[in-house]
Amino acid sequence: MTTPRQFSSCVTYYDPNALPVEAAQAIVREWAMPRAGSSSAEQVKLFDALGRVLAHDVISPIDVPAFDNSAMDGYAFAGGVLTNASETIGLNVAGTALAGRPFAEAPRAGQCVRIMTGALMPPGCDTVVPQELVVRDGDIIRFASSALRAGQNRRLSGEDLARGKPALRAGRVVRASDLGLLASLGIADVAVNKRIKVAFFSTGDELRSVGEPLVPGSLYDSNRYTLFAMLRRLGVETIDLGIVRDDRASLETALRQATEAADVVISSGGVSVGDADFTRDLMNSLGDVAFWKIAMRPGRPLAFGRLWSGPRAGTGESALFFGLPGNPVAVMATFYFIVREALLAMSGAEHQPLVKIRALCGAPMKKRAGRTEFQRGIAKRDDDGVWHVVTTGPQGSGVLSSMSDANCFIVLEHARGDTDIGDEVEIVPFDGLI
Ligand code: AMP
Ligand code: MG
């Protein structure tokens, strides 16, 4: 298997000082394997299954609907009478079928049954004429034969979900509709994958935690909060390891502890050029970690690989490691475009590509060819259904308000140069993760 270090140093096509985003994503994808084995699943009640990943296919134990029923409020009858389209049909109303209160007898020739939506089709009936197509006079209804075909307005048993067929597939992240669907099958609990554990911490002597006083030169640690929020939205279990000082011993302790406790370790800060030598040395002793300069902005420096908690690489517990840059916007961009997919894959979730939309630029944007840029955008749809996008303003990678103001990333691809008003670009709407 390709290791990150081999990849970044041996593959001459890629410049390790400017690894294209797609190349980094491909390596991460190869390394992020779902946890295997039956011990990785657990049984949960339906309400607790929201946002979890299904461990197995769910096979429908029943037909849904379980019986043929009416799709409309109207009158049920045997459709065999609809032979001549020029005819007016007259039928006698023999009784009523309500949802949950069936009409048990088959109507005789020339009869029909008043029926409401969802009610069981009476015996011998296969067609429903909607009430708005009918003229009713006492117990007689009349309608044009041309208004419908035999078999219309009847929902067939099993037409939504057929018994014995997979209703939902393994890897499905359970959403609102899925919960309802599982309930419609009468399923009370389902097997879901155990949540993966993600430990995260911030590095930096300048950082203070919320609640502590700021001293000159210090700032509040915001990365742990954005990371926490994004991790929660992905449904993983979070382990907050706080702030780690910029010294080798503290970092080593934090990394070992995190690797012991978690499947994935995410740090922020300490991977830029000035810090890299110090952390690189430590990473080398703890596992197989490569330092990348990804050709992306924000988010250029990033460390990625595998860590081990034992005395040597290859011993003790192991965890996948992402050393994200320190800048708050870079943390969010690298998480969104590099980390997110890996966490979903490790959770056993089916691939969920980010939604991309074409939009027209409302203002020119400076862009250097040879790197992918993720600008923060405000996108609006005009009356003709065309999306237009402008940036949120200053795009410094420390300007967290640019993320709060935005509703999408504007993705300016690797080869692109400056962008003019009216040029087409791709945007990735924030989907709730951010
Ligand atoms: P670094 O990657 O450690 O060189 O950090 C780059 C920039 O991001 C510096 O200005 C740091 O002060 C800032 N930074 C690093 N970590 C955090 C954090 N957890 N919260 C807010 N800003 C941070
Ligand atoms: Mg730092």
Side-chain angles (χ1 to χ4, degrees), residues 232-310:
R232 273 299 169 95
R233 298 305 291 254
L234 283 183
V236 303
E237 207 175 304
T238 52
I239 304 171
D240 177 5
L241 295 179
I243 297 172
V244 175
R245 297 294 152 213
D246 280 322
D247 68 74
R248 191 187 153 111
S250 308
L251 190 56
E252 178 164 357
T253 308
L255 285 169
R256 279 193 201 282
Q257 206 186 334
T259 306
E260 192 85 41
D263 304 296
V264 180
V265 178
I266 301 177
S267 67
S268 70
V271 290
S272 48
V273 180
D275 312 299
D277 288 344
F278 143 71
T279 26
R280 190 188 305 255
D281 187 38
L282 175 59
M283 303 288 174
N284 278 338
S285 69
L286 290 179
D288 188 15
V289 176
F291 283 79
W292 291 338
K293 292 198 179 75
I294 302 186
M296 81 182 261
R297 183 188 153 104
R300 189 163 131 88
L302 196 138
F304 172 68
R306 183 164 289 286
L307 296 175
W308 297 86
S309 64

Side-chain angles (χ1 to χ4, degrees), residues 180-232:
L181 192 145
L182 290 164
S184 78
L185 298 175
I187 292 174
D189 42 46
V190 281
V192 294
N193 292 339
K194 284 197 177 134
R195 289 192 168 100
I196 61 164
K197 293 182 185 149
V198 181
F200 61 104
F201 59 86
S202 297
T203 69
D205 288 338
E206 75 280 26
L207 300 178
R208 295 292 175 273
S209 283
V210 173
E212 288 176 3
L214 282 184
V215 295
S218 66
L219 65 143
Y220 286 119
D221 169 14
S222 59
N223 288 344
R224 265 189 310 134
Y225 289 84
T226 44
L227 277 174
F228 165 84
M230 294 188 291
L231 289 167
R232 273 299 169 95

Side-chain angles (χ1 to χ4, degrees), residues 3 188 221 239 334 336 341 374 381 391-392:
T3 71
D221 169 14
I239 304 171
T334 49
Y336 211 63
E341 193 182 320
F374 299 96
R381 214 179 77 128
T391 70
T392 52

